Amino acid sequence: MTAFPLEQALALSGLLFAIGLAGVITRRSMIMVLLSTEIMLNAAGLAFIAAGSRWMQADGQVMFIFILTTAAAEVSVGLALVLRQHHCAKSLDIDAAGSMKG
Amino acid sequence: MKIIFFIAASLAVASSLAAITRKKAIHAILFLVVSFMSIAVVFYTFGAPFIAALEVITYAGAIMVLFVFAIMLIDPGVQAARKEQLRQSRIVLAASASLSLALVGELAFTFFKNPGRHTGNAVLSAVSVGTKLYGTYLIGVELASMLLLSGLIGAYYLGRRADPSKDGKGTGNDSFSA
């Protein structure tokens, strides 16, 4: 392995995070918002891996494993909620789902 | 190794950009699979081969497949894609995406202000990760297992379909009324 400048690794992480953030802000479908959240989580994990490599400790990789676990649990519950919403309201528009009923 | 890093990083950024701008959700998911695989290559160049394998197996192989199953069950159709395209004007999209551009600018300024630090030049193998994970962070493993259990129960309960043979007069505990 060659040693990269840490700024490049963190800049990649920040760029991916900002791309995910743009996706969360601009998309209207719930599934696309969840997808963009996954991009953001992965970018944060990339920053952890880069930092762990900088200090030559495996803690960064352990943090990424925990982030991965959290993302998996969140995606499963989030998609179950999306399926519920589609079953009830037949639409996944987040602007139309503005009010809770019942 | 630097060439590999740059190719994989640019591929990850390009496919992520493509993923958030697709009209159909399934195209976005497939672009995101490409992005995750190229990020796994980036992990490999940072000396984390175990995490690279985990990323491909779990993120690209399980979470994205879960998204594909959800899309398959929901089946948005053609009208949804057209509706999403028509309702947003370009100016609104550009204005909201410029917020993330501001974030990128701030992050770039912070990162490149103090140069001189480098990532490591050795591989942190699965042995060291496992030693740390089940040594120092053992409580995190237990908490993660409880989190996954609660996620499993929650996803099962939320995804349960109401029994069609009931006449609608439930006990009131099932909140499946539409």
Side-chain angles (χ1 to χ4, degrees):
Chain A
M1 308 293 134
T2 59
F4 294 101
L6 190 62
E7 304 87 51
Q8 294 180 7
L10 291 180
L12 172 66
S13 169
L15 191 57
L16 284 171
F17 189 85
I19 290 174
L21 180 65
V24 168
I25 293 177
T26 56
R27 297 304 294 242
R28 292 175 79 101
S29 170
M30 281 182 196
I31 286 194
M32 292 308 300
V33 170
L34 273 177
L35 215 60
S36 308
T37 312
E38 291 308 306
I39 305 178
M40 291 164 80
L41 283 170
N42 198 20
L46 175 63
F48 269 111
I49 300 286
S53 173
R54 182 258 187 273
W55 295 105
M56 287 309 292
Q57 290 173 359
D59 293 32
Q61 305 189 25
V62 170
M63 283 300 135
F64 183 80
I65 291 178
F66 290 145
I67 291 176
L68 205 56
T69 308
T70 308
E74 165 223 335
V75 160
S76 60
V77 174
L79 282 178
L81 283 172
V82 163
L83 287 179
R84 278 275 103 214
Q85 172 73 14
H86 183 76
H87 183 68
C88 292
K90 296 295 180 294
S91 148
L92 289 177
D93 194 5
I94 55 175
D95 288 333
S99 62
M100 286 195 176
K101 200 174 54 170
Chain B
M1 199 62 76
K2 283 190 188 289
I3 307 279
I4 296 178
F5 168 71
F6 276 117
I7 292 177
S10 48
L11 184 60
V13 169
S15 49
S16 294
L17 272 173
I20 67 167
T21 55
R22 293 303 103 191
K23 290 194 282 281
K24 287 184 190 255
I26 189 68
H27 295 173
I29 293 169
L30 292 177
F31 270 116
L32 209 52
V33 169
V34 172
S35 171
F36 287 155
M37 289 198 175
S38 44
I39 290 176
V41 174
V42 169
F43 285 162
Y44 185 79
T45 61
F46 286 164
F50 178 62
I51 298 298
L54 267 189
E55 168 103 355
V56 173
I57 293 173
T58 310
Y59 238 119
I63 296 181
M64 288 300 118
V65 170
L66 196 58
F67 270 101
V68 168
F69 281 152
I71 294 287
M72 183 180 73
L73 288 172
I74 287 181
D75 194 14
V78 186
Q79 276 82 15
R82 211 175 290 135
K83 226 190 311 180
E84 176 147 354
Q85 185 192 10
L86 284 176
R87 262 195 232 165
Q88 293 170 306
S89 65
R90 299 265 173 200
I91 302 178
V92 170
L93 286 177
S96 49
S98 64
L99 289 175
S100 352
L101 275 182
L103 179 64
V104 172
E106 284 178 11
L107 285 173
F109 175 71
T110 312
F111 292 152
F112 288 96
K113 202 165 51 150
N114 298 324
R117 290 167 300 197
H118 293 264
T119 61
N121 50 7
V123 171
L124 287 165
S125 65
V127 171
S128 54
V129 176
T131 310
K132 266 287 160 66
L133 182 64
Y134 287 99
T136 312
Y137 295 100
L138 181 61
I139 187 169
V141 175
E142 305 302 325
L143 290 175
S145 70
M146 291 204 293
L147 172 71
L148 285 173
L149 178 67
S150 61
L152 177 72
I153 295 174
Y156 165 74
Y157 179 73
L158 288 170
R160 200 165 49 131
R161 203 168 282 282
D163 194 3
S165 65
K166 286 204 181 118
D167 53 354
K169 297 192 186 67
T171 62
N173 289 335
D174 291 333
S175 54
F176 278 166
S177 58

